Amino acid sequence: MAAMLKLSLSYLSRSKIQNGFIALLILLSTLLVSTAVMILANTGNQFRDMHNRTNGSHQILTFEKGLNDPQAVHDWWASQDGVEVSSLLTYRALAGIAFNGMDIPNIYLYMISTPSPPWVVDELIFSKGTPEAAPKQGSVWIPTSMANAYDISVGDTVGFKTGSTALHLKVSAIVVDVPYGAPFTNTARIWMNPLDYHHDVQSLAGTDHHMMGIHFDDYSSNSRYWERYTLEAGGPFLETKMEFEGISSFYLIINQIVGFIMIFLGVVMLAIALITIGFTISDAILANYKTIGILKSLGLTSAKTIGTYVIQYLLLSLIAIIPGLAFSVWASKFIINISVSSLRVGNSDMSVEGIGSAMLVGVFLFALILLFVVLYARKARQIQPVQAIRYGMSETDHTRLARRMNSPLASLIGFTRLPVAAVLGFRHLLKNTKSSILMLLLTTIASSVLVLGYVLLTSITGIVQTSPKWGYDNANIAAVVVNKSTFPKDELKQRLQEDSRIKNVGWQGNITGVLHPDSSADMQGQSTSLALSVLDGSYQELGFETLQGRNPQQENEIAIGVSVARTLNKEPGDFLELYIEGEKRTFLITGIYQAIANMSISGRITTAAMSAIHPNFGDFDAVFINLNDPMQANQVAEELNDQFKDSASVVTQKTLLDSVYAEAAAVLIYPMSLIGLLFLLVTFIIIFSTCRISIRKESRTYGIYQSIGMTSRRIRVSVAMGVAALSAIGAILGILVGVYLLPILLEMVLAGYGIVQLPLILHWGGIGLFACISMIAAALGSWFSSRVIHETSPRMLVIE
């Protein structure tokens, strides 16, 4: 045992840098895998815990169209067993705020008259500020999502636009408001003092609206309650209903994307780490072949020889895995706190679950490393002392290596055909095929990770270029109606018709359709309600796209979201039965589209379809405007916003999308950067280690090269050139993997959110630049590993 321990310590001390890098590689593998496990373990937990803590709504009903009596609906739901309802909240809608000298038009606000406690459903949790029964006069409570997006703090004064003027109120508290507090949203509930609401908001032109939240003891039974409501109320619910899936989706999507990417790449990194350890042991055995043969001839058994490597990597694993687990707890907290910051209370870190799972990952990783060490170290059993002393390797390996170096491929690369530096670099790779394959695999993966991160971030930040593929329009300007009761629709129509800069216009309304019971039997607990878009205009002209078929053009036609098509097994050409405002209608499905809004549980119909039900239908929520010259979008939007700001918010499409998705990109950049940096560091470490091993094996050869006149710098450049050429191939493969393969895996996650074909923006110049970063890491790894050639004299290299 003493001899084994002494040999293990000698191996550790003799190759300090290499063993240090191996320990760092194990640490990084542990960090990435355990962090991924913890993120996945916490995906949804933070939201579910806060939803349970606040007794959050499963559905939110808003009454804006006058089609149902709010009090009657509230009373019916309040009388049901197994259901809890919030107070009937009174509100007015506003758009835009002024804060810190900035004009922020694209935020839509429900100004709510705060009811008296207790709150049975959707209890507000105070993140910052003093908990009170209601805001004091002159102050408001705002949600964490709004505070985080615009860096608003308690004590700040915010101007809420009421048309030509602004209502200035002080922020006295920041609250967690689960239904309207998700990240990446531009809608918020502002909680006002009832006296302020009566004096400052109710005095504005327009009428009050109402909303209420419903919490089910068993959410899966909600469809039975709605069937009973339809029977007892004498008709279906015709106002707007927000489902639990829509409430929760944006809380969960980032963690699921990040967790999925990290667990996949973590497993890849773990596999690379284990292969690297195996190669390191194999090459170490080969490098010490003669020494091991001598020791075996002196009586050291094969089991003890294997034991020396087991002890060596047992110590390295203990040194690396424990801090790796500790760092993973910090990293997972950091990522989780960013991705669900709107659920964070105060400045305290959110509790992170899954530490036990991470510990199991550490134990599993430790056992796996020792298993691989034993499997690879068993090669030491085959060492025959005589062959080891004569060849420095087994006779079989000696013959195989000679055959490889004299193969037709190798003979094509001769000193008379190519520069000496190129020949040396190629022969370095050819003679160490296993390590060369590992380097190729590693640079491919590192490049693919960097490319994926770059493509994903540019696709989100540049979403205005691909908005139709996300389910949005492609119009230049959008005018969102804020106060329908005062909105001068005819005046805006005339204004748009008279403006020669405007190319075409589309008026959009939003209603709710209910699937026919026969169709909804296969919905498997999902909502039977569809968010229907009604357009007075051409879907085609406004840029709405479909994956299959086309958008509707006639009264009896409909295009449906992919989630509806998948659940009901529908295709273009099939028929779909819907209840719209209580009337049954049969539609021909003309197209299927994807949309992240409403998770693709939606449909598109024409105003002709609504006119058949409502002859005077004119309940429009937005106006989409295309210009003859898109460069004039900012100017036209400002002019229209100034004229109609009392009842509408007019912004460019870029402003509309950037306000939502810029935050998503900001959240994604941290975990993607962390993963990219880890893979670059791993690339450097592994290539350093493998090159250092192969250089030590070839020390005598390099000593001979130096003795005949080659400088150490020229030899080092040759080795680095060979590795750089190999990594260039890896970078090209990484581009293909990062652009075409990894997004397919992401689509598996996003399919649940209504995106089955990830819209990517490919800037090939940037993609090539990011792919080349792995080449730089690989070349640097090989260059630094070859310092031993420069630091050792030719005589010592030959002696070694």
Side-chain angles (χ1 to χ4, degrees), residues 76 225-237 514:
W76 188 91
Y225 283 99
W226 281 108
E227 289 173 6
R228 191 187 312 158
Y229 170 85
T230 300
L231 290 173
E232 296 182 10
F237 181 73
V514 180

Side-chain angles (χ1 to χ4, degrees), residues 71-86:
Q71 191 63 54
V73 174
H74 182 272
D75 292 344
W76 188 91
W77 282 101
S79 67
Q80 302 303 304
D81 294 330
V83 177
E84 294 174 296
V85 296
S86 70

Side-chain angles (χ1 to χ4, degrees), residues 55 109 321 409 447 510 531 549 688 800:
N55 202 37
L109 309 167
I321 289 177
L409 177 62
S447 296
N510 296 292
F688 178 94
E800 288 183 4

Side-chain angles (χ1 to χ4, degrees), residues 386-664:
V386 175
Q387 293 181 7
I389 295 170
R390 181 178 180 183
Y391 298 113
M393 61 183 71
S394 69
E395 189 172 1
T396 303
D397 289 339
H398 182 268
T399 304
R400 186 186 302 117
L401 181 60
R403 189 182 303 118
R404 185 192 307 157
M405 297 309 297
N406 293 314
S407 65
L409 177 62
S411 64
L412 291 175
I413 311 299
F415 285 96
T416 61
R417 297 175 182 271
L418 290 177
V420 174
V423 174
L424 289 183
F426 177 81
R427 284 182 173 269
H428 172 80
L429 299 175
L430 187 63
K431 198 169 184 179
N432 301 278
T433 51
K434 290 183 179 180
S435 61
S436 298
I437 292 172
L438 178 62
M439 286 189 284
L440 179 64
L441 176 64
L442 187 60
T443 51
T444 298
I445 294 173
S447 296
S448 66
V449 170
L450 293 170
V451 167
L452 175 66
Y454 172 75
V455 169
L456 191 59
L457 289 173
T458 52
S459 297
I460 292 176
T461 55
I463 194 172
V464 67
Q465 301 176 42
T466 56
S467 57
K469 299 182 185 301
W470 293 90
Y472 299 108
D473 64 285
N474 197 31
N476 304 132
I477 298 172
V480 180
V481 180
V482 178
N483 192 335
K484 293 183 180 180
S485 58
T486 63
F487 176 59
K489 183 174 66 174
D490 293 335
E491 183 181 344
L492 178 58
K493 272 189 175 181
Q494 183 177 356
R495 169 74 168 76
L496 297 176
Q497 289 172 356
E498 293 174 351
D499 196 328
S500 61
R501 296 170 297 180
I502 293 174
K503 182 178 180 181
N504 52 58
V505 173
W507 294 74
Q508 184 192 49
N510 296 292
I511 62 171
T512 300
V514 180
L515 285 169
H516 190 270
D518 294 339
S519 301
S520 61
D522 298 328
M523 291 292 282
Q524 300 177 352
Q526 292 192 39
S527 170
T528 57
S529 298
L530 267 65
L532 291 179
S533 169
V534 183
L535 187 69
D536 183 6
S538 170
Y539 281 104
Q540 189 68 26
E541 289 180 352
L542 294 171
F544 289 93
E545 291 189 3
T546 56
L547 297 177
Q548 301 178 43
R550 59 172 176 81
N551 282 302
Q553 298 173 356
Q554 305 298 326
E555 173 186 331
N556 66 332
E557 295 179 343
I558 187 172
I560 58 175
V562 290
S563 297
V564 180
R566 181 173 59 243
T567 305
L568 300 180
N569 195 25
K570 296 289 187 180
E571 294 181 355
D574 293 340
F575 289 94
L576 181 69
E577 292 184 335
L578 279 177
Y579 282 98
I580 300 177
E581 297 193 357
E583 294 192 23
K584 180 181 175 182
R585 286 288 184 270
T586 301
F587 291 94
L588 173 67
I589 299 173
T590 60
I592 296 172
Y593 63 90
Q594 64 176 14
I596 196 167
N598 298 306
M599 302 170 67
S600 287
I601 307 175
S602 57
R604 298 170 181 167
I605 59 176
T606 63
T607 49
M610 279 306 300
S611 297
I613 300 169
H614 247 307
N616 298 318
F617 177 78
D619 187 14
F620 295 108
D621 299 285
V623 186
F624 300 123
I625 304 168
N626 274 326
L627 304 178
N628 293 311
D629 181 7
M631 299 300 293
Q632 296 179 318
N634 286 324
Q635 178 185 348
V636 175
E638 288 177 5
E639 292 175 5
L640 292 173
N641 195 58
D642 288 340
Q643 182 176 351
F644 298 97
K645 59 186 175 184
D646 289 341
S647 56
S649 173
V650 186
V651 294
T652 64
Q653 187 203 40
K654 187 177 188 306
T655 302
L656 200 65
L657 293 174
D658 285 351
S659 62
V660 177
Y661 289 97
E663 185 182 353

